[in-house]
Amino acid sequence: MDELQDVQLTEIKPLLTDKTAGRSFEDFDGQEHDIETAYGVVHVTMRGNPKGTRPVILTYHDIGLNHKSCFSTFFNFEDMHEITQHFAVCHVDAPGQQMGAPPFPSGSRQIGGGHQPGTGSDSAAESDLLDHPNLVEGLVLINIDPCAKGWIDWAASKLSGWTTNIVDIVLAHLFGYDELQSNLDLVQTYRLHIAQDINQENLQLFVNAYNGRRDLEIERPMLASNNSEGTLRCPALLVVGDSSPAVDAVVECNSRLDPTRTTLLKMADCGGLPQAVQPGKLAEALKYFVQGMGYIPYVQLSHLSAETGICRAASRCSLRLGLLLSLEHSRLFVLLLVDVNV
């Protein structure tokens, strides 16, 4: 019998490597602030100064991300400079999700005591937005889900929480199955970020709050009816990648909104992070959307896509005021055009 020999086995591609490998989220040229609110400290990054009566672009990220990992590729993309030169941009981090955030006090069960906008458990934010519809001029919603979790989904998420770690749960939320199998470099980048840059206890609270969101209870208005109650009243651009796990949810949301004020953009060859994978196409769509408001002149973008017909549909929107949508239901990001002079 041949003598047994020791063989050293090494991991070819470890799931978690050093803390800098694979991540390339660019910094924003902006000022960071910690804002004291009734629900705790909120971290914001302000880029540029408000320009006269122009609105401010406000962003809010998805679970497992923060403003940098969600938006750096998009807002640092060349074509976005043609848009951001006309606006100040305010990036809002969900409580406890920014880089280096301290853990919430021991015993906390959800972010902000249950009333923090954007966490899925907010009751005050939706009421505030209904009371002050003139604060928002337009909405860009990526991977929007207007529905609360059903009992089956709730049970599945509970079971998943017992058997699956939080990083894999968030990855399945951000990426579709095909993307998880094929776009390994992108998935690995975000796996490292979620596992190493985000406080895991804070993230669990954010995920719990999102899973506890309520149904928006919006309905498409009847034809020839001027009654806009019960639906989104300001024009909106809904964006989803064709292989995103949120396709069905976005289509459902589109079916509930006024078709004369809503544009649905389904991006080909794109998954759950269109702002990172297809920043040029999304910048083009946003450019036409904002142009329809009359805030920027015609600007030729350097990366024009073949789907300009879809994007130009957004430019025909006559954007005015009105909002019935709380931040809590945006799975990926909310981009608001906010009037800062009110």
Side-chain angles (χ1 to χ4, degrees):
M1 180 180 293
D2 295 335
E3 182 179 356
L4 296 177
Q5 297 180 350
D6 291 334
V7 178
Q8 183 177 3
L9 299 177
T10 60
E11 190 175 20
I12 298 175
K13 187 175 183 180
L15 290 179
L16 297 178
T17 57
D18 66 88
K19 292 192 174 184
T20 59
R23 293 203 304 274
S24 58
F25 302 128
E26 300 177 55
D27 288 330
F28 287 105
D29 182 15
Q31 296 293 322
E32 298 188 31
H33 306 275
D34 288 325
I35 309 298
E36 292 281 353
T37 74
Y39 310 114
V41 177
V42 176
H43 184 266
V44 301
T45 301
M46 196 73 189
R47 187 175 186 178
N49 297 313
K51 298 172 173 58
T53 59
R54 292 175 180 268
V56 171
I57 295 177
L58 183 147
T59 71
Y60 198 85
H61 59 86
D62 197 3
I63 59 175
L65 307 177
N66 52 40
H67 80 276
K68 184 179 293 187
S69 56
C70 193
F71 301 115
S72 62
T73 299
F74 181 55
F75 277 89
N76 286 317
F77 189 73
E78 177 184 0
D79 286 345
M80 277 300 294
H81 298 166
E82 300 291 351
I83 300 174
T84 56
Q85 67 177 324
H86 299 282
F87 301 95
V89 181
C90 180
H91 298 290
V92 179
D93 286 314
Q97 309 305 302
Q98 71 271 22
M99 298 282 193
F104 286 113
S106 177
S108 297
R109 294 188 176 183
Q110 53 188 355
I111 292 177
H115 299 290
Q116 176 62 42
T119 64
S121 58
D122 169 57
S123 59
E126 192 166 307
S127 175
D128 290 343
L129 291 170
L130 285 169
D131 291 340
H132 305 284
N134 58 326
L135 293 179
V136 177
E137 294 199 26
L139 279 172
V140 178
L141 302 168
I142 296 183
N143 295 338
I144 175 71
D145 188 348
C147 304
K149 268 188 177 294
W151 285 107
I152 295 178
D153 291 334
W154 178 85
S157 66
K158 280 290 186 181
L159 179 61
S160 178
W162 295 332
T163 60
T164 309
N165 66 66
I166 188 65
V167 176
D168 287 330
I169 291 174
V170 172
L171 287 174
H173 167 86
L174 296 174
F175 302 102
Y177 177 80
D178 291 341
E179 198 170 17
L180 287 171
Q181 302 300 315
S182 60
N183 202 342
L184 300 180
D185 289 340
L186 180 68
V187 172
Q188 177 72 355
T189 294
Y190 280 91
R191 179 185 292 277
L192 290 169
H193 167 66
I194 296 165
Q196 298 175 348
D197 295 337
I198 306 296
N199 183 292
Q200 299 296 284
E201 294 180 1
N202 295 355
L203 174 58
Q204 184 65 67
L205 294 175
F206 195 19
V207 171
N208 293 345
Y210 171 74
N211 288 336
R213 67 192 183 279
R214 298 174 303 173
D215 194 292
L216 283 178
E217 298 180 353
I218 53 177
E219 295 181 0
R220 173 168 290 186
M222 298 179 61
L223 294 176
S225 172
N226 293 324
N227 184 8
S228 59
E229 296 296 329
T231 190
L232 181 62
R233 288 179 283 162
C234 73
L237 174 62
L238 309 184
V239 182
V240 66
D242 61 358
S243 62
S244 168
V247 170
D248 292 341
V250 174
V251 172
E252 170 65 20
C253 182
N254 184 62
S255 71
R256 298 186 182 192
L257 299 180
D258 186 343
T260 66
R261 293 174 173 156
T262 307
T263 300
L264 173 61
L265 176 60
K266 188 175 181 181
M267 299 177 64
D269 304 319
C270 187
L273 294 177
Q275 80 277 23
V277 177
Q278 299 279 6
K281 289 183 179 180
L282 185 56
E284 183 186 359
L286 179 59
K287 176 254 188 178
Y288 285 115
F289 188 69
V290 175
Q291 261 189 352
M293 304 173 69
Y295 283 114
I296 62 175
Y298 175 77
V299 178
Q300 180 69 37
L301 298 180
S302 62
H303 299 82
L304 289 179
S305 72
E307 294 88 1
T308 55
I310 298 176
C311 297
R312 287 195 179 108
S315 69
R316 295 195 294 269
C317 294
S318 176
L319 299 184
R320 280 318 335 153
L321 310 177
L323 179 63
L324 181 62
L325 191 62
S326 174
L327 300 181
E328 64 194 61
H329 290 271
S330 180
R331 299 180 67 257
L332 185 49
F333 90 84
V334 176
L335 189 153
L336 303 175
L337 293 153
V338 183
D339 187 348
V340 295
N341 295 301
V342 177

